[in-house]
Amino acid sequence: MNILNETLTLSNRVEIPKLGLGTWFIDDDKAADAVRQAISIGYRNIDTAQAYGNERGVGEGVRTSGIARDELFVSTKLAAEIKDYTEALAAIDGSLQKLGLDYIDLMLIHAPQPWNDFRGGDYSAGNLAAWQALEEAHQAGKIRAIGVSNFLQTDLENILQHGTIAPHANQILVHAGNTPSELIDYCQSKGIAVEAYSPIAHGEILENQDIARIAEKYGASVPQLCIRYTLQLGTVSLPKTSNPEHMRSNARVDFTISDEDMEALRALHDTDYGEQAAFPVYSGK
Ligand SMILES: NC(=O)c1ccc[n+]([C@@H]2O[C@H](COP(=O)([O-])OP(=O)(O)OC[C@H]3O[C@@H](n4cnc5c(N)ncnc54)[C@H](OP(=O)(O)O)[C@@H]3O)[C@@H](O)[C@H]2O)c1
């Protein structure tokens, strides 16, 4: 079966395509082309964020793709710095306006703390304020599903205990070399779908010889093995590429990694992100 046609069902019955296109680092003026290319190849799930500065281009790509809006799944993220109810409401409307869409399929709180204090102070009240805005926009029909990103178990517990709606998804760093098994299990036990971001470690994993050896066994490329790995963990996988050849090959993952190799990949530790290590999400916190 073609992975591009497979979906996972969120706890509110909304279906999310299992393979999506990440758009971080695709410039706004290139985003529409990349999104149209991906959709013409068969991608139906597109992931952006206010912080990527390309919602306008992503929305244009979606609107001009020639595919009906209700066949596409568009995610964006509330900026990590917004921890205030009124600001969050305004920012949600801002995303709808930039995207030029009547509704968003999934909107996530980008991180539990602002980026300049990632894994730092306590923003539990601010996260609840932002969450309340997402809940209201969801109830108003502006967002079909709501979730979080980079949330650890304690951050999730805050929302589960004090929110009205349980998060439908948590988008976290998952790749061969960095598998947060306990957090994945916790999310799945609470009915929170896990989305794997940076499934090919932002590109750094391409040099990993252990992974290359395993990929070879399956006649797969390293990106294909890495994407397949995240899918077999039960997560939605969000590889980024603006290259149509990579879009095509990243969707050719119709093979099964053996239990033994899944365990070998799960046990791997490789969190060297090279020049990108300065980003908070790769800080190892
Ligand atoms: N929620 C968060 O905090 C968060 C954080 C990070 C990422 N994300 C999301 O997850 C998405 C993916 O993460 P990411 O962009 O960090 O990294 P990634 O998908 O792990 O890796 C992207 C890199 O791999 C290259 N690549 C992709 N397919 C390839 C192929 N078949 N062969 C060779 N190279 C290939 C891309 O270059 P080319 O473009 O040249 O193919 C790019 O340099 C993001 O775009 C974003 O949507 C979310």
Side-chain angles (χ1 to χ4, degrees):
M1 187 168 168
N2 182 349
I3 191 67
L4 292 169
N5 301 328
E6 288 187 39
T7 61
L8 195 138
T9 305
L10 302 177
S11 60
N12 65 343
R13 312 310 300 162
V14 166
E15 290 196 30
I16 178 169
K18 285 186 185 172
L19 183 65
L21 180 78
T23 67
W24 188 22
F25 280 109
I26 302 183
D27 290 344
D28 197 33
D29 61 347
K30 308 258 170 28
D33 266 345
V35 167
R36 275 190 297 261
Q37 286 271 12
I39 292 174
S40 76
I41 287 164
Y43 283 77
R44 294 294 177 262
N45 175 351
I46 312 289
D47 181 82
T48 181
Q50 292 174 346
Y52 303 167
N54 62 11
E55 285 177 307
R56 191 211 56 81
V58 166
E60 182 192 327
V62 167
R63 284 182 278 106
T64 57
S65 65
I67 295 293
R69 173 69 186 92
D70 64 1
E71 288 182 37
L72 300 172
F73 192 99
V74 181
S75 301
T76 193
K77 311 183 194 84
L78 184 68
E81 292 72 24
I82 300 178
K83 302 294 178 206
D84 172 84
Y85 169 75
T86 313
E87 259 185 75
L89 275 184
I92 293 165
D93 285 341
S95 276
L96 282 163
Q97 215 165 42
K98 283 211 181 74
L99 288 161
L101 300 176
D102 296 333
Y103 65 89
I104 291 160
D105 291 279
L106 174 65
M107 190 152 182
L108 313 168
I109 297 178
H110 207 146
Q113 300 86 22
W115 294 121
N116 65 9
D117 193 24
F118 190 59
R119 305 290 183 232
D122 178 3
Y123 296 84
S124 47
N127 283 320
L128 287 173
W131 189 249
Q132 193 192 337
L134 285 175
E135 288 181 336
E136 285 183 20
H138 172 58
Q139 273 147 357
K142 295 179 184 180
I143 313 174
R144 294 176 69 221
I146 53 177
V148 294
S149 180
N150 295 297
F151 272 43
L152 301 178
Q153 185 169 330
T154 52
D155 305 311
L156 289 164
E157 282 165 353
N158 174 41
I159 306 282
L160 289 171
Q161 281 164 19
H162 305 292
T164 305
I165 300 172
H168 300 123
N170 187 16
Q171 185 181 120
I172 54 178
L173 178 65
V174 181
H175 60 79
N178 183 78
T179 310
S181 298
E182 279 181 28
L183 181 56
I184 294 173
D185 288 350
Y186 175 76
C187 289
Q188 291 174 342
S189 77
K190 297 287 177 194
I192 302 169
V194 177
E195 292 190 290
Y197 76 67
S198 305
I200 39 184
H202 208 64
E204 287 298 318
I205 211 91
L206 294 167
E207 310 303 325
N208 185 303
Q209 290 311 308
D210 294 328
I211 296 179
R213 263 191 299 277
I214 298 178
E216 211 173 303
K217 281 208 252 177
Y218 297 91
S221 66
V222 167
Q224 285 168 331
L225 181 85
C226 288
I227 292 164
R228 180 72 209 175
Y229 171 67
T230 53
L231 293 168
Q232 271 185 233
L233 289 174
T235 69
V236 168
S237 191
L238 298 171
K240 173 266 167 182
T241 179
S242 45
N243 177 333
E245 276 317 306
H246 293 169
M247 290 174 191
R248 278 190 203 93
S249 65
N250 289 353
R252 284 198 293 268
V253 289
D254 191 13
F255 58 95
T256 304
I257 303 171
S258 70
D259 292 348
E260 194 189 352
D261 286 334
M262 282 299 289
E263 281 320 307
L265 290 168
R266 194 193 282 272
L268 255 169
H269 293 282
D270 182 353
T271 51
D272 176 3
Y273 303 101
E275 287 175 10
Q276 318 299 334
F279 283 109
V281 288
Y282 303 132
S283 61
K285 292 185 201 159

